[in-house]
């Protein structure tokens, strides 16, 4: 038990140290120039998100921007809501998405069409369910300038409404701060140490075009990570930042959406490696699902030191939630969060083995 406790203490120490290499957006951004930024938003069946998204865009304090939104063959009221909420604002352009070419992933094709219509020196790809504070865009520009980066990306704070969302979505931050050596991610060209999030990706235009843009990753279900790796492979710098104080996202509204959204990315996100999946299942079962059972055993048998591992897993989760602007009380659910993450991984792997397609917003992917 002493060794087990020591390992959990080491995990907590590692998370605290690793976080030091994750820069935050500056509170008071200072820019030496004011380049044009094209804000590019792919939208498929996003009727419910249009009004809040347009409000965020209109409230932005940066004055050199154009907003280009692509209605990717939506079957709901997305187009009507866009026209209503934009209200003739000349900064906005609405594009109509073309048919999805053979072999392309839907979102990647939408982003490809968006960049073709952009005029900016910087391209900011934003998901439709993202909301951000007025200074978020110039904060991102300022950090890119300070770090001399060609791509800035980050994971927002998450609004987690459905129960399954409370379990799975906050684990995104935990996985990054626990598994990714952020010093390698932010200060080297080492491709394997790369994380990115398609909800918020700001590219310097010239470097984006030189790598081939989104067309270079046309068939990827995890295009954000793969395009970031392409940036590194061409000798450019990627910065993963803590954007949670300025950018927020409500990814899903139903448990079904949560399940389908994570299902398509879970196994693909680890390179469809059964070995790595097995390692993760063993690791999380041993260190994050087992501790509450040890704690219960300790309570009923007077072995109170057996409660310490669970307390340390909660401390790890709490620290991540604190620095990423998440709800602190979700940290007590870490065993359930780990179990849910493994559950979706196993199902995603099963579908891959059986060559069953993943579905998302009416489209199917293998």
């Amino acid at each position: 038990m002493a060794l087990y406790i020591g390992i959990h203490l080491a995990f907590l120490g590692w998370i605290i140290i690793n976080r030091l290499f994750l820069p935050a957006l500056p509170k008071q951004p200072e820019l030496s120039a004011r380049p044009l930024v094209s804000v590019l938003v792919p939208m498929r069946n996003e009727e419910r998100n249009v009004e809040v998204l347009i409000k965020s865009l209109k409230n932005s304090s940066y004055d050199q921007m154009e907003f280009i939104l692509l209605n990717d063959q939506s079957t709901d009221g997305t187009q009507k809501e866009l026209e209503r909420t934009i209200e003739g604002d000349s900064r906005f352009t609405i594009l109509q998405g073309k048919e999805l070419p053979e072999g392309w992933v839907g979102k990647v094709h939408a982003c490809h069409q968006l960049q073709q219509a952009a005029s900016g020196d910087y391209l900011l790809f934003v998901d439709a369910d993202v909301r951000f504070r007025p200074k978020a865009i110039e904060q991102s520009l300022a950090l890119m300038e300070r770090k001399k980066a060609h791509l800035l990306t980050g994971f927002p704070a998450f609004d987690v409404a459905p129960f399954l969302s409370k379990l799975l979505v906050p684990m995104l931050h935990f996985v990054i701060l626990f598994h990714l050596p952020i010093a390698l991610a932010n200060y080297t060209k080492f491709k394997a140490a790369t994380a990115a999030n398609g909800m918020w990706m700001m590219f310097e235009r010239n470097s984006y075009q030189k790598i081939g843009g989104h067309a270079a990753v046309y068939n990827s279900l995890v295009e954000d990570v793969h395009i970031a790796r392409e940036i590194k492979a061409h000798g450019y710098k990627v910065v993963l930042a803590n954007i949670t104080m300025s950018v927020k996202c409500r990814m899903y509204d139903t448990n079904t959406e949560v399940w389908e959204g994570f299902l398509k990315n879970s196994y693909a996100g680890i390179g469809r490696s059964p070995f790595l999946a097995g390692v993760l299942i063993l690791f999380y079962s041993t260190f994050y699902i087992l501790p509450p059972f040890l704690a219960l055993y300790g309570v009923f048998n007077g072995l109170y030191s057996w409660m310490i591992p669970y307390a340390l897993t909660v401390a790890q989760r709490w620290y991540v939630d604190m620095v990423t602007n998440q709800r602190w009380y979700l940290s007590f659910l870490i065993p359930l969060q780990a179990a849910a993450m493994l559950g979706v991984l196993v199902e995603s792997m099963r579908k891959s083995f059986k060559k069953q397609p993943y579905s998302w917003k009416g489209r199917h992917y293998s």
Side-chain angles (χ1 to χ4, degrees):
M1 181 55 66
L3 176 61
Y4 193 66
I5 293 172
I7 291 172
H8 275 290
L9 281 170
F11 288 166
L12 177 59
W14 160 249
I15 291 171
I16 293 171
I17 293 170
N18 199 34
R19 179 250 174 175
L20 298 177
F21 298 95
L22 185 70
L25 297 181
K27 292 182 180 179
Q28 299 298 328
E30 296 181 2
L31 294 167
S32 61
R34 303 189 75 78
L36 178 64
V37 176
S38 297
V39 183
L40 310 175
V41 189
M43 308 186 75
R44 180 173 170 85
N45 296 336
E46 298 287 358
E47 177 183 5
R48 68 192 179 200
N49 287 313
V50 169
E51 186 169 358
V52 181
L53 169 70
I54 299 302
K55 182 178 179 180
S56 283
L57 295 172
K58 286 184 174 182
N59 288 344
S60 179
S61 61
Y62 191 65
D63 57 356
Q64 298 294 316
M65 287 190 299
E66 62 176 4
F67 307 124
I68 306 176
L69 307 101
L70 183 133
N71 180 8
D72 189 14
Q73 302 184 345
S74 298
T75 57
D76 64 358
T78 296
Q79 181 69 26
K80 185 177 179 180
E81 278 297 292
L82 284 172
E83 293 170 355
R84 181 185 68 82
T85 54
I86 288 171
E87 297 177 330
D89 191 320
S90 61
R91 295 173 297 172
F92 287 82
T93 300
I94 304 174
L95 305 178
Q96 299 303 315
K98 299 176 182 177
E99 280 293 326
L100 184 63
E102 182 70 25
W104 282 69
V105 171
K107 182 181 178 182
V108 184
H109 187 235
C111 290
H112 176 66
Q113 294 172 80
L114 283 162
Q115 62 86 23
Q116 289 179 319
S119 303
D121 304 296
Y122 287 81
L123 309 177
L124 174 60
F125 292 91
V126 175
D127 278 4
D129 48 11
V130 164
R131 295 88 176 87
F132 51 92
R133 295 191 177 189
K135 290 185 178 181
I137 291 175
E138 54 195 305
Q139 287 173 322
S140 298
L141 274 175
L143 186 58
M144 284 190 76
E145 182 178 293
R146 184 197 306 170
K147 297 291 185 179
K148 296 180 172 57
H150 301 87
L151 166 61
L152 181 139
T153 185
F155 290 79
F158 293 110
D159 181 3
V160 286
F163 180 70
L164 197 53
S165 183
K166 289 177 172 62
L167 298 184
L168 286 171
V169 174
M171 287 300 286
L172 293 172
H173 287 296
F174 185 83
V175 167
I176 292 300
L177 283 170
F178 187 88
H179 291 289
L180 180 72
I182 298 174
L184 291 180
N186 279 345
Y187 296 98
T188 75
K189 302 298 191 300
F190 185 46
K191 287 170 56 178
T194 304
N197 182 13
M199 299 174 195
W200 192 268
M201 298 186 79
M202 180 177 279
F203 294 88
E204 187 275 320
R205 185 190 185 102
N206 290 332
S207 54
Y208 172 84
Q209 291 180 329
K210 286 178 181 177
I211 71 162
H214 276 80
V217 294
Y218 71 95
N219 61 349
S220 174
L221 285 175
V222 284
E223 85 290 337
D224 42 13
V225 174
H226 289 158
I227 201 169
R229 288 179 179 174
E230 285 295 317
I231 289 280
K232 283 188 173 184
H234 283 74
Y236 299 120
K237 186 174 183 179
V238 176
V239 168
L240 180 69
N242 184 353
I243 65 173
T244 57
M245 295 307 295
S246 295
V247 185
K248 189 175 184 178
C249 176
R250 181 168 181 165
M251 292 175 67
Y252 309 107
D253 280 330
T254 68
N255 286 317
T256 300
E257 288 180 354
V258 179
W259 183 254
E260 289 186 349
F262 274 82
L263 203 62
K264 70 182 177 67
N265 293 327
S266 182
Y267 192 47
I270 60 170
R272 300 180 190 267
S273 167
F275 172 77
L276 187 53
V279 170
L280 288 172
I281 291 168
L282 179 62
F283 178 84
Y284 276 92
S285 297
T286 302
F287 291 106
Y288 292 95
I289 297 176
L290 179 60
F293 296 100
L294 295 177
L296 286 173
Y297 180 83
V299 167
F300 287 111
N301 291 275
L303 302 170
Y304 299 113
S305 64
W306 286 44
M307 300 172 61
I308 296 175
Y310 174 62
L312 288 173
T313 63
V314 171
Q316 294 166 41
R317 177 75 257 188
W318 174 84
Y319 179 79
V320 172
D321 289 341
M322 179 188 67
V323 300
T324 58
N325 201 24
Q326 291 296 133
R327 299 175 184 177
W328 63 269
Y329 57 83
L330 294 178
S331 59
F332 292 94
L333 298 179
I334 179 64
L336 290 177
Q337 292 173 331
M341 186 178 73
L342 296 186
V344 76
L345 174 60
V346 169
E347 176 61 11
S348 181
M349 183 167 54
R350 185 195 68 81
K351 290 179 75 72
S352 179
F353 285 165
K354 290 184 173 292
K355 301 190 182 304
Q356 296 175 347
Y358 305 103
S359 62
W360 182 244
K361 293 189 176 182
R363 286 177 173 154
H364 300 283
Y365 306 100
S366 58

